[in-house]
Amino acid sequence: MPRRQLHMTGAADTPLRAALHALRTELGLPDGFPADVLAEAADAARDPVVSGHEDATDLPFLTIDPPDSTDLDQAMHLERRPHGYRVHYAIADVAAFVRPGGALDTEAHHRVTTLYFPDGKVPLHPESLSEGAASLLPGETRPAVLWEIDLDAEGRTGTTRVRRALVRSRAKLDYAGVQRQIDDGTAEESLALLKDIGTLREEQEIARGGISLDVPEQEIVERDGTYGLDYRAPLPADGWNAQISLLTGMAAARLMKDSGTGILRTLPVAPDGAVARLRRSAEALHIDWPHHVPYAEVVRSLDPRKTNHAAFLQDCTTLLRGAGYTVFEHGALPTPAVHAAVADLYTHCTAPLRRLVDRYASELCVAAAADRDAPDWVLTALPALSKEMADGTRRANTVERECVDLVEAALLKDRVGTVFDAYVVDVKEQEPTTGTIHIDDPAIVARIEGGTARLPLGERLRVRLTQADPGSSKVLFAPA
């Protein structure tokens, strides 16, 4: 599911980078790993537990990630079958490196998830594992949890198998390169099939009522001593690749359901009030949303390269705020059990280098596929995992929100008093002089207050920047 992504380019010694470093300190985030964790990671990197792993190094896997990524969780190999397709999806086997109850495990439970900043990250595991011995780097034999999912000619799921295996990626690809190879016809068959399978899975998503949000990534660029924000709209290849991960998460959830024990990623249907607010935002951003047209159909019609569409896609992520992790045992599924955006049972299992819960989901699925009980260390940790993930997700959301505020304040700090054209996209019910505006240039969504008249929801408004303080990470506008 999407998050607000910010990526920074430019010199390492800019004031914004200094402010981002100060934010890490302010939020109490760890700076490096304790010595015992690093020592245990180094030992595990030299001697992982790989007993029982089948040899699947003959399959020519490849990875698809941003160009600068080295924490590679997933590798795939796709093939055409007589009546459909077969997806081989290898997931980094983090459990081969992390001893239950050890220093690494304890630190991972403390961190819960990798935290992303525009200029770097606070990783879940030491880099010797997450970007080294456990990462599915090209040319390296690695332990993995290997999924094998058969699809029919329409992309519907058939037989699913999952086991431990040794795999070797042949190539590290990026999204732009993948898109280029597929578009110009130079992609090898396994890669070319990504479009075929991804498109079929997108059609299956539409049929079951699911929705994927193609939220653009914003890149912070230094220009002549100031900052700018540029959008990078997702490529079709981003979406096709995401469908393989979604497919695996849905297959994993079904395995858990059948075994009677698991942890699901759940999301209740959005309340009417949240959808009504989104309709007001669409009106304000001049996005056509007829009353008879479902929300999912509107989202699929958007072009993330357009700034008003990009802003609305970002606003759509508010409907995902109720998502959580829900444990179930003894066959009693939770209520709700389904993830409303996926429109099916779903779990997180494809990013164990960056998210704690995925290691446990993999163990539950490997056990279920072998028709045996999960290890005691998994079952013992399961009851507390929902709260741990909720706390970690809140921390990640705080980092995301503070980074966005800080970047926008840095971008506007020398423009206090400047008047901008804006659209009013939300107005507080109890305080109609307070609300939210969207500015096209620069592409910013910000708070407005201080006027005497009710804000004109859905209409254009001239606004004046009254505050932009990177120290407090706050941006504030008032009617001009």
Side-chain angles (χ1 to χ4, degrees):
M1 290 295 102
R3 302 183 60 81
R4 179 84 172 264
Q5 299 183 65
L6 289 166
H7 176 68
M8 188 172 185
T9 63
D13 58 350
T14 61
L16 179 54
R17 287 187 186 272
L20 288 166
H21 180 76
L23 177 60
R24 289 172 169 82
T25 303
E26 178 186 332
L27 295 176
L29 301 179
D31 183 13
F33 287 87
D36 59 340
V37 174
L38 292 173
E40 188 174 313
D43 289 342
R46 287 190 295 269
D47 188 23
V49 178
V50 292
S51 59
H53 288 67
E54 299 180 17
D55 187 348
T57 55
D58 59 316
L59 289 171
F61 284 98
L62 57 85
T63 61
I64 305 174
D65 290 275
D68 56 351
S69 292
T70 50
D71 50 348
L72 310 183
D73 289 286
Q74 315 107 10
M76 73 175 73
H77 173 68
L78 309 175
E79 60 181 278
R80 195 181 299 276
R81 306 285 288 174
H83 303 290
Y85 307 89
R86 176 165 290 173
V87 174
H88 290 104
Y89 206 41
I91 307 301
D93 188 2
V94 175
F97 299 90
V98 178
R99 176 171 55 84
L104 259 175
D105 189 29
T106 301
E107 184 70 11
H109 277 267
H110 174 67
R111 296 189 178 216
V112 180
T113 183
T114 294
L115 300 175
Y116 292 94
F117 286 76
D119 61 337
K121 61 191 173 186
V122 179
L124 174 61
H125 302 103
E127 291 180 1
S128 60
L129 296 182
S130 62
E131 300 184 32
S135 178
L136 304 183
L137 297 167
E140 302 290 344
T141 299
R142 293 289 189 252
V145 173
L146 179 56
W147 290 83
E148 188 179 283
I149 305 172
D150 287 340
L151 305 174
D152 68 14
E154 283 72 46
R156 291 184 292 259
T157 306
T159 304
T160 298
R161 293 165 290 275
V162 59
R163 65 192 188 279
R164 284 194 149 84
L166 295 175
V167 302
R168 185 184 299 121
S169 171
R170 301 297 199 272
K172 178 182 182 294
L173 307 179
D174 60 66
Y175 294 104
V178 166
Q179 190 69 57
R180 199 161 44 244
Q181 288 187 51
I182 291 176
D183 288 347
D184 65 22
T186 61
E188 295 182 357
E189 184 183 31
S190 178
L191 182 59
L193 286 175
L194 180 63
K195 178 180 180 179
D196 298 345
I197 295 173
T199 300
L200 288 172
R201 291 303 302 175
E202 288 171 342
E203 292 170 357
Q204 290 295 322
E205 180 176 75
I206 292 171
R208 69 175 185 268
I211 183 67
S212 294
L213 296 178
D214 295 328
V215 181
E217 179 179 337
Q218 283 182 285
E219 186 173 61
I220 309 153
V221 183
E222 188 184 11
R223 297 192 187 101
D224 300 324
T226 63
Y227 302 102
L229 280 176
D230 291 338
Y231 278 122
R232 187 195 79 86
L235 297 166
D238 293 63
W240 303 330
N241 188 57
Q243 286 295 329
I244 303 299
S245 181
L246 281 168
L247 167 69
T248 308
M250 294 160 65
R254 284 192 296 273
L255 266 177
M256 291 178 180
K257 171 183 174 292
D258 292 343
S259 74
T261 301
I263 181 165
L264 299 175
R265 183 65 167 162
T266 56
L267 176 68
V269 174
D272 290 341
V275 178
R277 193 204 69 79
L278 209 56
R279 279 190 174 275
R280 295 197 299 269
S281 177
E283 180 182 1
L285 292 167
H286 296 280
I287 290 169
D288 187 28
W289 186 352
H291 280 283
H292 67 280
V293 175
Y295 155 75
E297 188 174 328
V298 172
V299 170
R300 281 190 285 270
S301 72
L302 299 176
D303 182 352
R305 292 169 297 182
K306 298 179 179 179
T307 55
N308 61 326
H309 289 199
F312 184 67
L313 282 165
Q314 181 58 51
D315 211 13
C316 288
T317 63
T318 59
L319 297 190
L320 306 177
R321 285 178 179 168
Y325 296 90
T326 309
V327 171
F328 67 95
E329 298 180 272
H330 313 298
L333 283 176
T335 302
V338 168
H339 191 291
V342 178
D344 203 344
L345 295 176
Y346 176 66
T347 193
H348 278 159
C349 66
T350 62
L353 294 176
R354 294 169 282 169
R355 199 167 45 209
L356 174 67
V357 69
D358 298 49
R359 169 159 52 106
Y360 288 88
S362 287
E363 292 300 317
L364 289 162
C365 291
V366 168
D371 196 24
R372 57 175 171 75
D373 291 336
D376 287 342
W377 64 267
V378 173
L379 299 177
T380 300
L382 209 53
L385 202 51
S386 291
K387 184 179 184 305
E388 288 177 307
M389 290 306 303
D391 291 344
T393 300
R394 276 193 293 271
R395 187 184 308 120
N397 289 340
T398 297
V399 167
E400 179 184 287
R401 185 178 60 251
E402 292 293 334
C403 284
V404 170
D405 288 347
L406 182 59
V407 167
E408 292 181 345
L411 175 64
L412 294 171
K413 67 181 179 63
D414 296 323
R415 302 182 71 180
V416 172
T418 302
V419 174
F420 297 84
D421 287 320
Y423 289 104
V424 180
V425 296
D426 198 21
V427 177
K428 283 196 171 183
E429 293 285 346
Q430 306 303 320
E431 303 174 55
T433 60
T434 299
T436 304
I437 56 171
H438 173 256
I439 298 172
D440 280 337
D441 185 19
I444 283 176
V445 177
R447 181 181 173 87
I448 182 171
E449 63 180 35
T452 57
R454 183 183 185 90
L455 290 170
L457 180 64
E459 296 182 16
R460 184 181 289 272
L461 183 69
R462 297 280 283 173
V463 298
R464 178 175 283 104
L465 178 63
T466 59
Q467 180 180 336
D469 182 2
S472 65
S473 302
K474 299 302 178 189
V475 170
L476 187 62
F477 288 85

